[in-house]
């Protein structure tokens, strides 16, 4: 019979029966397994196998395939001792071999690890994970083009959520899953040939698995783990370490994919409301990422806040609290390139919260929503937003903080410019008032700690004038906030706390005041704005609704101006102002209450007591102290200690005071003139220069004043009227009023204000053509003053007419 060629299967069967005919690598692999698996790996034979693999690296892939075959057979037969030996051998070969053929061996290794992770036995899962972690720490010399770790990400994430009945075993499985995820990240994060571990499909599994274990800190503590692990580390501690490592490896383009799953996890498990866990997560994030990437996290949080605008107040407050903590941790670049957008988002949330509180609904149409809006929760949210605005402002340099102050000032609502607030039914006026107060509180936060060397740039016209206009409102809370903002900006040496209480200080040296010489910039500022400040301080003292806090704040403001911005001329004017306040309380032309008159007297006395010691003129000090001593004996209710206390003892009426209980302007002029002060200016009583702003600001709402504030949304309109025809006014120039009337009527919210301005200005022009006369005839005249004059407060009158060159025209009408 012809000879038959043996098949490969028959050859393998024969070689398997005869050990001498088997390949050498198989014999070396078989020799590492002892007869009794409890004896462990045969080390001598393992060394031979390792030497063979290093000598013949082309056989390494066959060694791995054979070990994988044996391991699969042992797993199926439940011979777990031999499984452990096989994995130990694989680990040692991985550590020893770094040749180009390692890739094929790794495929066999990963196949065996996968087999163990798919097993039902927790010990096998943990064994496979430990081997994978060892492999992850190996730096391979050659790249891999086809290796995939998708299965391992999914399986390790599943192990992180293990719900095994035995708590000790459950803890081990979860910790193994965390270690496995850490290994996957280490193995793939820097390998450009691998699938991007930062892709959402992977991050959506890794990050929630880590957060789940971080959240379960209270359920699985370190005591349970310490009995079974070499390192006394809880799953939460291990998770935090792994999470920090993950975030620390995140590049600029990967921050969003790493943070988005955190936001989703906190949403899905309602963890914003508790705040504690959410704050903990983002503290880890902010401390772990590179500092130059901080603003990316801030922007994601702001975007998430916007997307939750109609969620409950507790959820929004939780996000805002996280923003507050994140801003405090981040560096000065935390706001990033879009500074105003950050504050715009926070201010928008503030306004929405006020709308929700007033309407009781998240629906802008006013329909009752399914969610119940709780007022106290909205108030807590508003306070949190205000604190967060301050926290962000503290990270900014001075020049950017000034921009933010201007931005917020431009957002303060004016009826007619912000119609959404006035259309809210009966709550329109209250909504406007609430927003005004909230934004002024935000300005207080922004100006906290504000330091500037140039007051002209810190308080430009565009900020100071609208701010002072709020000091003329009837609402006492608004006026107090305005005064507080002025204190924060002017105080550059932290002197404010030393004047927190208005009192007669016998020796101001105990206060240890910090006083610097007035700089050239400060002198320019006072030359430009001093009369504005004096006038508003004077008008603030005439308010019936002013309380102790208002007078204490006014006293502090006068004291700070004296120390921060005073030169000889300013000192003289401040003394004149204090004497004018005394006359205001004495003549009582404004029909002030007895309390307010006594309070103004006390304010004047406290300030003159301070300024006389700052000027260090002995005769001036002597006169002031004599008057104070006389008041202490005869009229103690005219001093701060007698007025600003609980249940002050005040007379029923306050008759006109005379004699030694009043400060005498002639006496002060005389004693200061002897020390070189300007006696002519001192002898002239202070008369506040009233303006159109003051007359038009009476004044239930700031909207009744002339305002050219335009929201950021109106930038296009702003650009359009800036390009309109401008009119330059000179005393002898014929002026066409038609363009002026068109601009004013179009861009000012109230036509009667427009006509008032036009009539007030054209009274001094003498040349009109027929067309101008027609324009004027179409405008209603403003209501005349009852007396036709303006009272100065001293029984004198003051003409309303001023020369043309001193007129103040709106910026949009003058170039």
């Amino acid at each position: 019979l012809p000879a038959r060629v043996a098949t490969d299967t028959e050859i393998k069967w024969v070689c398997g029966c005869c050990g001498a005919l088997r390949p050498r690598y198989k014999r070396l692999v078989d020799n590492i397994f002892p007869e009794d698996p409890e004896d462990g790996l045969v080390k001598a034979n393992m060394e031979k196998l390792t030497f063979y693999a290093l000598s013949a690296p082309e056989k390494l892939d066959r060694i791995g395939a054979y070990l994988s075959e044996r391991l699969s057979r042992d797993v199926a037969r439940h011979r777990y001792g031999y499984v452990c030996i096989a994995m130990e051998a694989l680990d040692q070969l991985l550590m020893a071999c770094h040749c180009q053929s390692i890739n094929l061996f790794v495929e066999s290794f990963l196949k065996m690890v996968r087999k163990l992770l798919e097993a039902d036995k927790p010990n096998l899962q943990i064994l496979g994970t430990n081997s994978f972690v060892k492999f992850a720490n190996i730096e391979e010399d050659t790249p891999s083009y086809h290796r995939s770790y998708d299965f391992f990400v999914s399986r390790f994430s599943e192990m992180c959520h293990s719900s095994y009945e035995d708590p000790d075993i459950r803890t081990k499985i979860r910790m193994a899953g965390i270690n496995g995820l850490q290994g996957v990240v280490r193995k793939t994060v820097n390998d450009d040939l691998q699938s991007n571990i930062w892709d959402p499909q992977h991050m959506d599994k890794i990050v929630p698995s880590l957060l789940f274990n971080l959240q379960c800190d209270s359920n699985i503590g370190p005591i349970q783990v310490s009995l079974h692990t070499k390192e006394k580390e809880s799953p939460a501690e291990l998770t935090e370490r792994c999470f920090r490592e993950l975030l620390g490896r995140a590049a600029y383009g990967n921050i969003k994919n790493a943070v988005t799953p955190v936001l989703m996890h906190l949403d899905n498990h309602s963890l914003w409301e508790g705040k504690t866990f959410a704050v903990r997560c983002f503290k880890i994030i902010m401390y772990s990422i590179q500092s130059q990437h901080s603003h990316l996290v801030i922007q994601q949080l702001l975007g998430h806040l916007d997307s939750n605008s109609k969620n409950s107040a507790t959820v929004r407050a939780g996000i805002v609290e996280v923003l507050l903590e994140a801003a405090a941790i981040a560096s000065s670049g935390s706001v990033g390139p879009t500074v105003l957008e950050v504050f715009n988002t926070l201010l928008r949330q503030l306004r929405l919260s006020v709308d929700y509180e007033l309407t009781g609904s998240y629906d802008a149409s006013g329909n009752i929503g399914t969610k119940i809006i709780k007022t106290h929760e909205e108030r807590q949210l508003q306070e949190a937003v205000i604190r967060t605005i301050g926290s962000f402002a503290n990270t900014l340099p001075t020049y950017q903080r000034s921009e933010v102050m201007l931005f917020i000032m431009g957002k303060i609502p004016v009826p007619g410019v912000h119609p959404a607030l006035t259309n809210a039914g009966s709550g329109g006026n209250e909504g406007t008032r609430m927003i005004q107060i909230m934004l002024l509180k935000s300005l207080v936060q922004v100006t906290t700690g504000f330091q500037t060397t140039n007051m002209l740039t810190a308080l430009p016209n565009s900020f100071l004038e609208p701010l002072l206009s709020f000091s003329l409102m009837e609402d006492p809370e608004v006026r107090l906030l305005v005064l507080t903002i002025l204190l924060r900006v002017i105080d550059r040496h932290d002197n404010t706390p030393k004047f927190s209480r208005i009192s007669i200080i016998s020796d101001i040296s105990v206060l240890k005041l910090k006083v610097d010489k007035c700089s050239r910039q400060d002198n320019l500022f006072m030359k430009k704005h001093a009369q504005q400040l004096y006038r508003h301080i004077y008008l603030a003292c005439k308010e019936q609704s002013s309380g102790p806090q208002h007078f204490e704040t006014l006293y502090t403001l006068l004291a700070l101006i004296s120390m921060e911005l005073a030169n000889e001329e300013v000192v003289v004017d401040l003394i004149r102002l204090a004497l004018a306040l005394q006359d205001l309380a004495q003549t009582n032309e404004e029909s002030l209450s007895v309390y307010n008159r006594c309070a103004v007297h006390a304010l004047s006395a406290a300030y003159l007591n301070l300024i006389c010691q700052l000027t260090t003129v002995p005769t001036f000090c002597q006169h002031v102290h004599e008057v104070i001593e006389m008041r202490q004996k005869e009229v103690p209710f005219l001093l701060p200690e007698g007025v600003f206390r609980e249940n002050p003892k005040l007379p029923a009426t306050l008759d006109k005071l005379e004699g030694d209980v009043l400060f005498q302007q002639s006496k002060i002029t005389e004693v200061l003139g002897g020390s070189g002060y300007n006696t002519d200016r001192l002898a002239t009583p202070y008369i506040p220069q009233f303006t159109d702003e003051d007359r038009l600001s009476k004044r239930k709402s700031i909207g009744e004043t002339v305002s050219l504030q335009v929201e950021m949304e109106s930038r296009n309109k702003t650009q359009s009227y800036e390009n309109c025809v401008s009119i330059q006014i000179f005393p002898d120039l014929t002026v066409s009023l038609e363009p002026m009337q068109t601009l004013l009527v179009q861009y000012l919210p109230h036509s009667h204000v427009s006509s008032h301005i036009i009539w007030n200005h054209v009274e001094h022009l003498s040349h009109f053509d027929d067309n101008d006369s027609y324009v004027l005839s179409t405008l209603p005249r403003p209501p005349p003053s009852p007396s036709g004059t303006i009272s100065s407060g001293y029984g004198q009158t003051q003409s309303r007419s001023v020369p043309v060159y001193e007129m103040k025209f709106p910026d949009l009408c003058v170039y």
Side-chain angles (χ1 to χ4, degrees):
L1 294 175
R4 182 173 66 87
V5 178
T7 63
D8 292 342
T9 304
E10 291 173 335
I11 293 174
K12 287 183 179 180
W13 183 81
V14 172
C15 293
C17 295
C18 302
L21 299 177
R22 298 178 66 206
R24 184 182 179 189
Y25 72 90
K26 287 189 176 182
R27 283 184 279 128
L28 291 172
V29 169
D30 291 338
N31 291 339
I32 66 174
F33 292 91
E35 293 183 2
D36 186 357
E38 293 183 0
D39 293 339
L41 182 69
V42 180
K43 294 183 179 180
N45 292 336
M46 185 63 212
E47 291 177 358
K48 294 179 181 179
L49 178 61
T50 304
F51 180 77
Y52 177 77
L54 292 172
S55 303
E58 69 278 1
K59 301 291 185 179
L60 191 58
D61 59 326
R62 299 185 182 183
I63 294 173
Y66 184 58
L67 275 170
S68 176
E69 180 183 339
R70 286 204 55 151
L71 183 138
S72 300
R73 185 169 63 246
D74 291 335
V75 169
R77 296 176 181 177
H78 305 289
R79 300 168 64 180
Y80 300 126
Y82 288 124
V83 171
C84 294
I85 293 173
M87 291 308 300
E88 185 179 355
L90 285 168
D91 293 342
Q92 291 191 23
L93 288 173
L94 275 175
M95 298 295 293
C97 303
H98 296 281
C99 59
Q100 293 183 352
S101 303
I102 191 71
N103 280 333
L104 296 177
F105 176 74
V106 169
E107 292 302 319
S108 299
F109 167 78
L110 293 178
K111 182 179 179 181
M112 288 183 278
V113 171
R114 181 169 183 165
K115 187 75 174 179
L116 294 179
L117 293 176
E118 290 174 339
D120 295 332
K121 298 292 182 180
N123 290 338
L124 295 182
Q125 297 174 14
I126 295 171
L127 176 65
T129 303
N130 292 339
S131 292
F132 182 84
V133 171
K134 293 177 183 177
F135 160 71
N137 292 326
I138 299 174
E139 294 184 5
E140 300 180 53
D141 296 334
T142 55
S144 174
Y145 295 90
H146 56 279
R147 196 180 302 161
S148 174
Y149 295 96
D150 293 358
F151 165 80
F152 297 100
V153 171
S154 300
R155 182 58 184 148
F156 290 140
S157 299
E158 184 181 348
M159 290 171 65
C160 289
H161 292 83
S162 174
S163 57
Y164 201 84
E165 294 180 358
D166 188 309
D168 291 340
I169 297 177
R170 181 171 66 240
T171 298
K172 289 182 177 181
I173 295 174
R174 289 184 179 182
M175 292 188 72
I178 297 168
N179 281 319
L181 289 177
Q182 187 178 33
V184 172
V185 171
R186 288 178 178 176
K187 199 65 181 174
T188 60
V189 72
N190 294 323
D191 192 345
D192 295 335
L193 298 176
Q194 298 300 325
S195 61
N196 194 350
I197 197 66
W198 301 104
D199 287 344
Q201 60 177 340
H202 300 309
M203 285 291 106
D204 289 347
K205 297 175 183 177
I206 294 174
V207 174
S209 300
L210 297 177
L211 296 181
F212 174 77
N213 284 276
L214 197 63
Q215 183 185 351
C216 292
D217 191 13
S218 59
N219 298 328
I220 305 177
I223 296 179
Q224 295 171 318
V225 182
S226 62
L227 299 175
H228 303 280
T229 58
K230 294 180 180 180
E231 296 182 3
K232 296 181 180 180
E233 189 176 34
S234 70
E237 293 169 337
L238 176 63
T239 300
E240 182 172 338
R241 184 159 53 83
C242 180
F243 194 30
R244 289 182 184 277
E245 181 179 341
L246 173 68
L247 295 166
R249 295 173 179 269
Y252 181 88
N254 303 325
I255 295 293
K256 182 178 179 180
N257 289 346
V259 175
T260 300
V262 178
L263 300 174
M264 295 301 102
H265 181 84
L266 297 174
D267 285 344
N268 296 336
H269 296 274
S270 303
L271 295 173
W272 292 112
E273 299 179 6
K275 301 179 184 177
T276 305
F277 181 72
V279 169
R280 180 185 178 188
C281 288
F282 276 90
K283 278 187 175 181
I284 293 173
I285 292 173
M286 298 304 293
Y287 280 122
S288 301
I289 62 174
Q290 301 176 43
S291 60
Q292 65 268 27
H293 300 158
S294 298
H295 69 277
L296 296 176
V297 180
I298 300 294
Q299 289 176 1
Q300 276 192 267
L301 282 168
L302 290 168
H304 198 66
L305 179 60
D306 270 345
S307 64
N308 283 272
S309 293
K310 293 189 177 182
N311 214 323
S312 66
T314 52
V315 171
R316 286 176 283 137
I319 301 174
V320 171
E321 288 289 346
V322 170
L323 273 167
L324 176 63
E325 295 291 338
I329 294 171
S331 63
S332 59
S334 63
V335 178
T338 56
V339 177
L340 295 183
E341 188 58 35
V342 171
F343 291 92
N344 192 39
T345 299
L346 293 172
L347 294 176
R348 182 167 58 248
Q349 291 299 320
L350 197 60
R351 181 168 174 174
L352 284 173
S353 178
V354 172
D355 287 343
Y356 295 157
E357 180 183 344
L358 292 173
T359 62
S361 171
Y362 295 116
D363 189 353
S365 64
N367 298 326
I368 301 300
T370 56
K371 298 179 180 179
I372 300 175
I373 295 178
K374 299 179 180 179
T375 301
H376 71 278
E377 292 180 352
E378 292 294 343
R379 291 289 174 90
Q380 291 174 357
L381 168 64
Q382 292 159 16
E383 294 300 325
V385 172
I386 290 172
R387 291 196 306 273
T388 304
I389 289 173
S391 180
F392 276 109
N394 289 335
T395 67
L396 297 177
T398 301
Y399 76 93
Q400 280 189 323
R401 201 186 293 200
S402 297
E403 291 178 0
V404 172
M405 290 161 57
L406 281 170
F407 180 74
I408 296 176
M409 180 59 70
K411 286 288 184 179
I412 298 180
V414 178
V417 180
H418 299 74
L421 288 174
T422 58
N423 293 338
S426 60
N429 292 334
E430 178 62 17
T432 300
R433 175 187 172 276
M434 289 177 62
I435 284 291
Q436 289 169 350
I437 289 175
M438 293 299 171
L439 294 183
L440 288 172
K441 285 183 176 179
S442 300
L443 277 175
V444 171
Q445 290 291 327
V446 172
T447 53
T448 300
F450 185 75
Q451 294 288 335
T452 181
T453 56
N454 190 343
M455 201 59 66
L456 280 171
T457 58
L459 288 173
N461 276 337
S462 55
F463 179 80
L464 184 61
E465 290 186 2
L467 178 66
L468 291 177
S469 70
F470 279 95
S471 70
L472 303 176
M473 292 184 64
E474 289 182 345
D475 192 320
E477 186 176 1
V478 170
R479 297 202 308 274
L480 186 60
L481 289 170
V482 170
L483 293 174
T484 304
I485 292 167
L486 285 173
L487 295 184
R488 300 286 174 91
V489 178
I490 294 176
D491 186 11
R492 293 173 288 188
H493 296 90
D494 297 324
N495 287 319
T496 298
K498 300 169 185 177
F499 300 102
S500 59
R501 183 177 180 183
I502 180 172
S503 62
I504 301 297
I505 305 170
S506 58
D507 183 7
I508 64 172
S509 62
V510 299
L511 298 178
K512 297 181 179 179
L513 300 174
K514 300 176 183 178
V515 183
D516 283 345
K517 185 178 179 181
C518 190
S519 65
R520 180 176 175 274
Q521 291 85 356
D522 293 341
N523 286 331
L524 291 174
F525 173 81
M526 291 305 290
K527 188 179 291 291
K528 186 174 183 180
H529 297 296
Q531 295 304 319
Q532 276 182 293
L533 293 173
Y534 303 154
R535 183 174 72 252
H536 284 82
I537 291 173
Y538 182 87
L539 294 174
C541 292
K542 294 169 61 175
E543 294 293 338
Q544 291 280 8
S545 57
S546 293
Q549 280 187 298
H550 294 82
F551 291 106
E552 289 174 356
T553 310
L554 285 168
Y555 170 68
T556 306
L557 179 58
L558 286 168
L560 290 179
I561 293 175
S562 304
M563 290 179 292
E564 296 282 356
L565 303 170
N567 52 33
E568 182 177 315
E569 182 180 342
V570 172
V571 169
V572 170
D573 284 344
L574 288 172
I575 294 173
R576 293 171 60 223
L577 174 60
L579 293 171
L581 293 178
Q582 176 181 262
D583 292 344
L584 170 66
Q586 184 180 1
T587 58
N588 197 27
E589 291 185 0
E590 298 293 327
S591 301
L592 296 175
S593 65
V594 172
Y595 175 83
N596 284 65
R597 293 177 67 187
C598 292
V600 173
H601 271 297
L603 170 63
S604 176
Y607 177 68
L608 286 173
N609 173 69
L610 173 68
I611 195 66
C612 75
Q613 296 183 61
L614 289 174
T615 56
T616 65
V617 178
T619 50
F620 182 26
C621 293
Q622 181 181 353
H623 172 68
V624 172
H625 291 159
E626 287 174 355
V627 174
I628 290 174
E629 290 175 3
M630 188 61 65
R631 288 190 179 186
Q632 288 171 343
K633 295 176 182 178
E634 298 183 6
V635 283
F637 48 82
L638 298 186
L639 294 175
E641 291 78 5
V643 181
F644 304 117
R645 66 177 187 178
E646 293 184 7
N647 303 319
K649 296 180 181 180
L650 303 178
T653 60
L654 195 63
D655 295 330
K656 189 170 183 180
L657 303 170
E658 295 179 354
D660 297 336
V661 297
L662 296 178
F663 300 99
Q664 302 298 326
Q665 184 156 5
S666 59
K667 179 67 174 178
I668 294 175
T669 301
E670 178 184 347
V671 296
L672 288 179
S675 298
Y677 286 87
N678 188 334
T679 55
D680 292 337
R681 193 172 185 86
L682 275 169
T684 306
Y686 171 75
I687 301 175
Q689 298 295 316
F690 290 95
T691 64
D692 288 341
E693 176 191 46
D694 303 324
R695 292 197 300 275
L696 293 173
S697 295
K698 283 290 182 178
R699 155 195 93 230
K700 290 185 178 179
S701 168
I702 189 63
E704 297 173 9
T705 64
V706 180
S707 174
L708 297 180
Q709 299 174 69
V710 180
E711 288 230 276
M712 297 299 293
E713 296 84 358
S714 303
R715 289 176 181 170
N716 294 334
K717 182 178 288 189
T718 303
Q719 294 172 355
S720 67
Y721 72 65
E722 285 177 349
N723 295 329
C724 292
V725 178
S726 300
I727 307 170
Q728 188 172 13
I729 306 295
F730 289 101
D732 298 315
L733 182 66
T734 300
V735 181
S736 177
L737 297 176
E738 187 171 6
M740 183 189 297
Q741 186 249 13
T742 302
L743 287 173
L744 288 173
V745 173
Q746 182 175 0
Y747 293 107
L748 289 181
H750 303 291
S751 60
H752 71 277
V753 174
S754 306
S755 61
H756 182 102
I757 294 174
I758 293 178
W759 278 109
N760 193 41
H761 290 162
V762 302
E763 286 173 359
H764 310 282
L765 303 177
S766 57
H767 304 288
F768 299 95
D769 56 25
D770 293 338
N771 191 36
D772 293 336
S773 300
Y774 172 76
V775 171
L776 290 176
S777 67
T778 63
L779 292 175
R781 284 184 174 272
S785 172
S787 62
T789 57
I790 305 167
S791 174
S792 66
Y794 290 91
Q796 303 173 5
T797 59
Q798 179 179 332
S799 174
R800 185 182 309 177
S801 299
V802 294
V804 175
Y805 55 83
E806 292 184 2
M807 293 181 197
K808 291 185 177 180
F809 285 88
D811 291 342
L812 58 85
C813 295
V814 181
Y815 68 88

